[in-house]
Amino acid sequence: MTGPAGHPPAGGVTVTGSANVQVGTGNVHNAISLGGTAAPTPDTVDAPPGLDNLPPVSAVFEGRDVAALDDVLVRGSGQAAVVGLGGVGKSELAAHYAQAFRARHSLVWWITADTAANVQLGLAALTSRLHPVATLADGRSWALGWLQTHRDWLLVLDNVEDVADIEALLAQVTGRGRVVMTTRRDLGTARWARLGLTPLRLGVLDRSASVQLLQRLTGLDDHDGAGRLAAALGDLPLALEQAAGYVSQHEGLGFDGYVRLLTDRFALVAADPGEGDSARRTVATIWRAGMDAVAGRSPLAVRVLRVLAWLGPDAVPVEVLSLPHADPVATSDALAVLASFSLINRRAGEVSVHRLVQAVVRQEEDAAAAISIVRAAIPEAPLKNVAGWPRWNQLLPHIDALTRHVGPAHGNTELMYVNDQAAVYRQSQGQVSAAVELFEQVRAGRQRVLGDDHPDTLTSRHNLAGAYQAAGRVAESIELFEQARTDRQRVLGDDHPDTLTSRNDLAFAYRAAGRLGEAIVLFEQARASRRRVLGDDHPDTLVSRNNLASAYQAAGRVAEAVDLFEQIVTDSRRVLGDDHPDSLANRYDLAYAYHAAGRVAEAIDLFEQVLTDRRRVLGDDHPDTLSSRSDLAYAYRTAGRLTEAIELWEQVLRDRRRVLGDDHARTTEIASLLRGHEA
C-alpha cells in the first residue's frame, strides 16, 4: 500500500385520438467507455447538430398521442412524469415524443435511471459523446456542468424506481431544458408539485386501439379474434406486442390459437388484482409462451436468456457472453433467435434484456453460469490496471444486479471474489463508503462459507482494514490489520507474500495513527523481508522502500528520505514504466520530500509534472490527482505564490466535496486550511 507522504491517504389521464400505433418497450441502456483526454469546460462545448442516443421506435404506434405529453410539458414547468404500471408503454411514449420534437432541442439524451448509480453512468455516457474524459466521476460532473450551462435540451430519465435518485439532478437543471421521466411510482399530486414535475398518468389501451395494434402488426384480418386476445392480455401494450410477434412467427396459429396457449396460465393473472403483480404476471404469461417457441428452435437460446436474466438490464458487450462449454458461434446464433422473438435488444455489439423479461425467466440453476461469465470478464488488478477501468464501468451495474438477485446469503465464492475486486476498484475511484460496505459483505460471506482461517477470508479481513483506513476509521483499521498479520503468520507463514503485505500495511496504519516509531520498525522489517523473499525489483519491495522513505521523512530524517526516494523513482520507472500508478506515486512522494527539505523550486517542478501525468493517466477526479493538486498548492504557498495557492485549494475543495463528500478527512483538511487564510 502506498500513500502520499505527510498527509493521510486518500387519478389517471387517458390519451386517445392519435393515428399512430404503439409498440415496444423503448428502453435504452448505456455502455460507458471513457476516453483518456482532458475535457474542456462544459460551457465551451456545443452539442453537434442532431446528437441523441434515442432508442429505435416502431413505425406502428397506437392509442397514444405525443401532443398530450407536449401539452403537459408546456403547461407545467418543462418537467413531466409519465406514470403507469410496467409494460403500459411509458418508455415508448417518451421515445416517440423525443423523436417527434427532436428539432426543437439542442440535444436529446436518454438515461436508464432505475438506480442512482445508473443515473451517474448515464451522465458519464453523455460526456463521452460530447468529449471523452478519464474517470466515472469526471464524466458525471462534466455532464451536469454541460446541462447547467446550455439550454433547450431534452433529458429523458427512464424507469425511475426511486425519485430520490434523480431529485438532486432535477433541482440543478430546472429551467435549462426539458425533462421527461418515466416511472411506475405515483407519488401523488402534492409530491409531484414539490418536485416540479407534472404527472401524465397512462392507463392500458382502449380496446379499439389494442385490436388495431394486433391487426397491423400481424397483418391478420380477424377483428373479433384480436378482440378476444386483447381481452385475455388486459390491453397491456407490451403484452400485445409480444403476442403479435409470436403469432407472426407461427403460421396458422392465429389470435385464438394464442389465446388457447394462455388459458391455463391466465387464471393466475385473474386471481391477483394487485397492480404491480398483475402487470408482472400478465407479461410473464406472454414471455413464457414465447420461451416455449424459442426452446423448440434453440435450447441454447433459452439458456442464454436465463443467464442474462441474472445481470442488469443495461447493455452487455457480446464478447462477455462466453457461456461455459458453449461454442461462440452457437451462442451468436442463439442471440439471433432471441432477437427475432423480441426477447432481447441487440445492436452495436451489445445485448440488453428488459427487466421484466428477466424477472419472468430467471431460474436459480442459471445463477452459477452468470457468475462465471462475470468472473471471466472482470479485469485483473483493478487498483493499478488503468486500461481495465472502462470495462469495470461497464460491468459494475451487472455485478450489482447479480449480487442483488443472488441475495446476501449466497455461498458462491466466485461471486465473493468478483465483489472483492469491485470493492477494490470502487475504493481506488474514491467511492470509499461503497467499498467498505462491499468489503464487509464479502468478509462475512467468506467467514461463513470458508471459515476464519481460509486465505480468502484473511484477504477480506486485510482489504476491509485498508478500506477502514481510507475512510478515516484508523483504530478499526489497526485492529483488523493486526488480526490479519497474526492470522497470516500462523496460517501462511512469516515469509508468505500476503504476510509481508499485512506487515507493510499495518505499518502504514500505525503511521496514520501517529505511531511513527512502531511504523518505522515494521517498514524496515517489511523491506528486508521482501528483499530477501521477492528481490529488490519486485513491485511489492518497491512499495516497502517507498513507505519506509515516507516514514523517515515524517520522523525528520529528510536527507535519508530524499536519497531513498530518488533511488525508488529511478527503479520504479525502470521496472514499472513512467505511467504506472506506483511510479507516479513515487515521483509525487519525492516532490513532497524536496519540499520538506527546502528544495522548493525542485518540488514545484516535480509536482507540476506529476499533476500533468496523473491528469492524463488517472483523470482529474482520481483521489491521487486531487492530492497532487493540493500539495502543489502547498508548495506555491511556500514559494510566496499565495494567490495561486489559494486559487488551487479552492478548486480542490470543490472537487473533493463533489467526489469524496463534505465529511471526508481530505475535504475537511482543505476547508480548514482555507478558513485559516481567510481569517
Side-chain angles (χ1 to χ4, degrees):
M1 179 180 291
T2 61
H7 292 276
V13 174
T14 301
V15 184
T16 60
S18 172
N20 298 323
V21 181
Q22 138 98 93
V23 172
T25 62
N27 278 349
V28 136
H29 312 285
N30 297 307
I32 312 306
S33 181
L34 303 175
T37 59
T41 57
D43 60 300
T44 64
V45 176
D46 292 328
L51 178 60
D52 68 62
N53 69 331
L54 291 174
V57 297
S58 174
V60 183
F61 185 64
E62 182 71 37
R64 306 296 189 208
D65 190 349
V66 295
L69 178 52
D70 188 57
D71 183 58
V72 168
L73 286 163
V74 171
R75 287 188 293 103
S77 61
Q79 299 185 152
V82 183
V83 184
L85 66 100
V88 81
K90 304 179 295 293
S91 299
E92 189 74 6
L93 176 61
H96 272 274
Y97 171 83
Q99 292 281 15
F101 295 99
R102 177 66 189 82
R104 281 186 183 176
H105 302 101
S106 60
L107 171 143
V108 177
W109 199 252
W110 187 288
I111 294 177
T112 299
D114 56 336
T115 67
N118 284 344
V119 172
Q120 304 305 321
L121 290 169
L123 291 172
L126 172 58
T127 298
S128 71
R129 287 288 295 273
L130 293 171
H131 194 286
V133 294
T135 68
L136 177 61
D138 287 333
R140 68 177 184 235
S141 60
W142 197 96
L144 180 58
W146 192 93
L147 294 171
Q148 290 176 323
T149 55
H150 294 76
R151 293 185 177 274
D152 300 321
W153 42 259
L154 172 64
L155 182 64
V156 180
L157 300 171
D158 187 46
N159 200 47
V160 173
E161 293 288 346
D162 186 347
V163 175
D165 293 339
I166 52 95
E167 191 167 359
L169 172 61
L170 291 176
Q172 293 178 78
V173 302
T174 296
R176 273 78 166 189
R178 287 188 170 187
V179 177
V180 174
M181 67 169 276
T182 70
T183 182
R184 64 182 182 178
R185 302 281 301 279
D186 194 342
L187 305 182
T189 302
R191 182 70 191 279
W192 290 127
R194 191 176 75 80
L195 290 168
L197 288 158
T198 304
L200 173 63
R201 296 178 175 91
L202 295 186
V204 297
L205 294 178
D206 290 340
R207 180 60 47 78
S208 60
S210 297
V211 169
Q212 186 174 355
L213 172 63
L214 286 169
Q215 289 185 286
R216 292 185 62 184
L217 286 173
T218 62
L220 297 178
D221 188 20
D222 181 4
H223 184 276
D224 292 340
R228 288 187 288 272
L229 178 52
L233 299 175
D235 298 298
L236 190 67
L238 188 57
L240 294 167
E241 178 208 10
Q242 186 71 26
Y246 187 87
V247 169
S248 296
Q249 291 286 331
H250 294 76
E251 186 176 353
L253 178 66
F255 298 131
D256 286 331
Y258 196 84
V259 171
R260 285 192 293 272
L261 288 175
L262 299 173
T263 298
D264 293 338
R265 297 173 180 140
F266 185 72
L268 295 174
V269 178
D272 188 345
E275 179 177 292
D277 284 345
S278 64
R280 178 179 61 80
R281 292 179 183 175
T282 300
V283 172
T285 300
I286 303 306
W287 286 329
R288 284 172 181 157
M291 287 297 291
D292 289 343
V294 170
R297 293 274 303 273
S298 171
L300 180 59
V302 175
R303 186 179 176 217
V304 169
L305 184 60
R306 282 165 38 177
V307 168
L308 282 168
W310 287 90
L311 306 181
D314 309 72
V316 183
V318 171
E319 63 266 22
V320 168
L321 299 177
S322 179
L323 291 179
H325 314 298
D327 177 63
V329 174
T331 299
S332 180
D333 290 342
L335 292 171
V337 171
L338 292 171
S340 73
F341 280 88
S342 301
L343 288 168
I344 65 171
N345 295 316
R346 188 183 188 187
R347 53 187 298 200
E350 296 174 335
V351 173
S352 59
V353 187
H354 192 281
R355 56 186 50 80
L356 294 180
V357 177
Q358 294 177 310
V360 169
V361 305
R362 189 178 303 122
Q363 297 187 20
E364 292 292 335
E365 59 263 34
D366 302 302
I371 293 168
S372 295
I373 285 173
V374 174
R375 170 64 182 88
I378 60 171
E380 296 300 322
L383 181 64
K384 298 172 183 178
N385 178 13
V386 179
W389 291 357
R391 177 53 59 89
W392 274 109
N393 292 334
Q394 286 181 311
L395 292 176
L396 282 178
H398 300 290
I399 294 170
D400 291 345
L402 177 57
T403 303
R404 186 167 60 250
H405 295 324
V406 170
H410 76 85
N412 190 289
T413 55
E414 278 196 323
L415 183 56
M416 292 174 192
Y417 176 79
V418 168
N419 276 311
D420 176 82
Q421 296 297 284
V424 171
Y425 176 70
R426 283 185 155 121
Q427 183 176 336
S428 77
Q429 297 294 302
Q431 301 172 24
V432 178
S433 296
V436 167
E437 182 178 354
L438 203 48
F439 277 134
E440 289 176 335
Q441 293 174 9
V442 174
R443 179 188 63 166
R446 284 175 165 170
Q447 285 178 328
R448 183 182 71 253
V449 174
L450 302 174
D452 286 341
D453 286 346
H454 191 279
D456 289 352
T457 306
L458 300 179
T459 295
S460 286
R461 192 171 298 145
H462 177 93
N463 288 348
L464 178 59
Y468 281 160
Q469 182 180 331
R473 298 163 62 174
V474 179
E476 294 170 276
S477 172
I478 289 174
E479 182 179 359
L480 270 186
F481 272 136
E482 289 175 338
Q483 292 177 20
R485 179 191 61 173
T486 299
D487 292 339
R488 279 178 162 173
Q489 284 176 330
R490 173 174 52 81
V491 174
L492 304 176
D494 284 342
D495 287 344
H496 191 280
D498 288 353
T499 305
L500 301 180
T501 297
S502 286
R503 187 176 300 151
N504 179 85
D505 291 357
L506 173 59
F508 201 87
Y510 282 160
R511 183 189 161 200
R515 296 163 61 174
L516 195 54
E518 295 170 273
I520 289 175
V521 171
L522 271 185
F523 277 137
E524 289 175 336
Q525 293 175 4
R527 179 185 64 171
S529 297
R530 281 178 162 170
R531 273 180 160 167
R532 174 173 50 80
V533 175
L534 304 175
D536 279 343
D537 286 345
H538 192 280
D540 289 352
T541 306
L542 295 174
V543 167
S544 286
R545 292 166 61 194
N546 178 274
N547 290 343
L548 177 58
S550 295
Y552 284 163
Q553 180 182 327
R557 298 161 62 176
V558 178
E560 293 175 86
V562 168
D563 182 60
L564 187 51
F565 276 132
E566 288 177 336
Q567 297 173 31
I568 296 164
V569 166
T570 299
D571 291 342
S572 65
R573 296 175 85 168
R574 171 176 52 82
V575 174
L576 304 174
D578 285 344
D579 288 345
H580 190 280
D582 282 359
S583 294
L584 295 173
N586 293 335
R587 290 164 59 200
Y588 164 82
D589 289 344
L590 175 58
Y592 199 90
Y594 282 157
H595 183 246
R599 298 161 62 174
V600 180
E602 293 171 273
I604 289 175
D605 181 59
L606 191 49
F607 272 136
E608 290 175 336
Q609 293 176 32
V610 174
L611 176 57
T612 298
D613 291 340
R614 277 181 163 171
R615 278 179 151 166
R616 173 176 52 82
V617 175
L618 306 178
D620 280 344
D621 285 344
H622 191 279
D624 288 353
T625 306
L626 295 176
S627 293
S628 286
R629 292 163 64 193
S630 175
D631 287 318
L632 175 58
Y634 276 107
Y636 282 161
R637 183 182 66 176
T638 302
R641 298 161 61 176
L642 187 57
T643 301
E644 294 172 89
I646 291 176
E647 180 181 355
L648 190 51
W649 274 324
E650 289 173 339
Q651 296 171 11
V652 172
L653 178 60
R654 287 193 297 269
D655 291 338
R656 281 187 170 171
R657 282 174 168 164
R658 173 172 49 80
V659 175
L660 304 177
D662 287 339
D663 296 332
H664 194 281
R666 298 187 185 186
T667 305
T668 57
E669 171 197 358
I670 299 300
S672 176
L673 185 150
L674 283 172
R675 283 194 299 269
H677 280 288
E678 290 171 358

